[in-house]
Amino acid sequence: MWLFLALGCALMNGGANRALHAAYSAATLRIVQTEAAIADYESRIGQLEETIRAQGISQADKLENLDQVVAEMARLRGNLEVLHFQVNEVKRTVDSAQVGQERRMMHAEARLRQVEGFLNLRPPPPPSDAELGLAIGLGETPAEAVGTPLEPAAPPLPSTAPERLALARGHLTEGRPAVARAILLKTVEENAGASEMDEVRYRLAESWFDEGNWKTAGSKFQTVIDNHPKSDWACWAQYRMGECFEHLNNADGASLFFLGATEGRCAKSAAAKEARKKL
């Protein structure tokens, strides 16, 4: 009886152990499977994270590159606007220079025609194509053979000093000092012994004064003083030299010549009356 009970207990204990072992084995298997699944999930999550990270970096790079492209386009557009502005400024400067050059050339040509007219000079013929080294094409007529209509001849320049002096005075009054100077220089050259030479030289200095060339004018007024010390024009030359020094901002020099216009034989001259107003 006791043996049977002991055997029964042993069998019962053996069955329980087997059941426990089977349950443990099943639980262990599930744990292993679960750990494997977790590892697989973690691996897949890691792959997903890497993919997402790579895509994010790529998108960030794309956005950064796009920003760089936009910034570069803005910079180039700004440079282009600056270049347009500079080109327009250069064009405006060139146009202004061309207009100024043409204006100066037209003025110089007009003055030259005036001088040639008053001095009764004929302009030289224009240079031929051969002189310029240009070949004449077939059927073309040389420029010198065409014939250019001449301008009406100007009245001849007077031959006497008084007439020339009167003509020069008129040009000075009408604001043409360069024309007056050309006539006066010709008078000095061709009418050297004329009694009017003191005024001729004075008016010659005056032509420089009227153009604002104070240094040359002062030198020419000094010529009047040196060559015609007893002339009333020498007194006026003293006065005008004082004005030249005034324009040159030399008050001491101006006072010296204004004083000179009031002394000696100039004391009672019309120039002295004006000079005293300056002192």
Side-chain angles (χ1 to χ4, degrees):
M1 180 67 179
W2 289 106
L3 179 62
F4 178 78
L5 290 173
L7 180 60
C9 290
L11 291 173
M12 290 177 63
N13 287 336
N17 287 336
R18 285 194 295 271
L20 290 173
H21 180 71
Y24 175 76
S25 298
T28 301
L29 179 61
R30 285 197 298 272
I31 290 172
V32 171
Q33 290 175 342
T34 301
E35 288 178 348
I38 292 172
D40 180 60
Y41 290 153
E42 288 178 348
S43 175
R44 292 170 63 183
I45 290 172
Q47 291 177 352
L48 288 173
E49 288 178 343
E50 186 65 28
T51 301
I52 292 172
R53 187 181 300 110
Q55 289 178 349
I57 293 174
S58 176
Q59 292 296 329
D61 289 341
K62 289 180 181 179
L63 290 174
E64 183 179 357
N65 291 337
L66 182 60
D67 290 340
Q68 291 176 352
V69 170
V70 172
E72 184 67 13
M73 288 179 65
R75 186 183 68 82
L76 292 176
R77 188 178 294 109
N79 291 342
L80 184 61
E81 291 177 356
V82 171
L83 289 175
H84 277 306
F85 175 78
Q86 292 175 345
V87 168
N88 289 333
E89 285 297 309
V90 170
K91 185 177 182 299
R92 188 180 298 109
T93 301
V94 171
D95 291 343
S96 177
Q98 287 178 342
V99 170
Q101 183 178 7
E102 290 176 1
R103 181 180 292 113
R104 288 192 296 271
M105 289 179 63
M106 291 178 64
H107 183 235
E109 290 173 357
R111 292 174 60 188
L112 180 60
R113 283 196 298 269
Q114 276 189 330
V115 173
E116 289 174 342
F118 286 114
L119 298 182
N120 198 28
L121 299 175
R122 292 176 62 86
S128 64
D129 289 346
E131 291 172 336
L132 294 175
L134 301 175
I136 301 175
L138 294 176
E140 296 181 357
T141 305
E144 61 270 19
V146 173
T148 303
L150 297 177
E151 296 180 359
L157 184 70
S159 60
T160 66
E163 292 174 317
R164 291 180 173 182
L165 182 57
L167 185 60
R169 279 197 299 261
H171 286 297
L172 286 171
T173 302
E174 295 174 7
R176 293 190 291 270
V179 177
R181 186 162 55 246
I183 297 170
L184 293 167
L185 287 172
K186 197 169 183 65
T187 306
V188 171
E189 179 183 350
E190 297 181 356
N191 305 86
S195 59
E196 297 83 7
M197 195 53 60
D198 53 352
E199 185 180 356
V200 169
R201 288 196 170 99
Y202 176 85
R203 300 297 181 186
L204 184 60
E206 195 174 42
S207 72
W208 293 108
F209 187 91
D210 289 352
E211 290 183 341
N213 193 332
W214 317 121
K215 292 183 179 180
T216 302
S219 174
K220 299 302 180 181
F221 282 127
Q222 185 64 51
T223 301
V224 178
I225 298 170
D226 293 340
N227 287 276
H228 310 280
K230 297 181 180 181
S231 169
D232 288 343
W233 292 110
C235 301
W236 278 113
Q238 291 266 14
Y239 174 79
R240 300 305 293 275
M241 284 189 71
E243 289 186 318
C244 288
F245 277 93
E246 273 187 332
H247 287 293
L248 293 171
N249 298 317
N250 188 332
D252 293 337
S255 297
L256 180 65
F257 282 101
F258 287 140
L259 183 62
T262 65
E263 296 179 337
R265 63 173 308 280
C266 294
K268 297 182 179 180
S269 67
K273 182 178 179 180
E274 296 299 322
R276 291 187 183 98
K277 298 176 183 179
K278 297 282 191 176
L279 295 173

